[in-house]
Amino acid sequence: KIILSGSGFGSGTSNKAVFFGAAEGAILEVTDRLIEVRVPAGATFDAITFINTATGLKVQTPHPFLPSFDGTHPFSPANLTTQADFNA
C-alpha cells in the first residue's frame, strides 16, 4: 500500500478512484489530506491518477510510479524500497 498526500480529498472512500496507469487501486482510507491505497497487481510505470468520480476532477502525480520488486523469494517487506513522496 502507499499513502498519497495533498489537500481537498474530502473524507470517505465513495466517489473516489485511484489509478496506477490503467489499473485501479483499492482505496483503504481517506482524509482531507491523505489517501491510503493498495497498489494493484496490474500497476504499470505511469502516473498515479486520483479522480473524484462525483465531480470528474482529477489530478496526476508529476512523475510515473515505478512498481518494483527485486525478485527475492519468499517475499519479505524488508525487500521493499523506501518511501517516495510526491507533491500533489
Side-chain angles (χ1 to χ4, degrees):
K1 67 183 173 180
I2 66 165
I3 296 174
L4 303 173
S5 64
S7 62
F9 295 127
S11 61
T13 58
S14 63
N15 299 323
K16 296 166 182 68
V18 177
F19 288 87
F20 297 78
E24 186 171 3
I27 298 175
L28 305 173
E29 188 174 345
V30 178
T31 70
D32 194 53
R33 298 184 136 305
L34 299 172
I35 301 177
E36 185 176 314
V37 185
R38 185 174 320 281
V39 178
T44 58
F45 183 69
D46 205 342
I48 299 172
T49 304
F50 169 79
I51 302 172
N52 180 320
T53 57
T55 64
L57 296 175
K58 70 178 182 176
V59 65
Q60 289 186 317
T61 57
H63 303 286
F65 175 75
L66 177 60
S68 62
F69 175 64
D70 72 3
T72 303
H73 296 280
F75 176 79
S76 167
N79 296 331
L80 298 175
T81 59
T82 59
Q83 173 180 322
D85 295 322
F86 297 97
N87 294 323

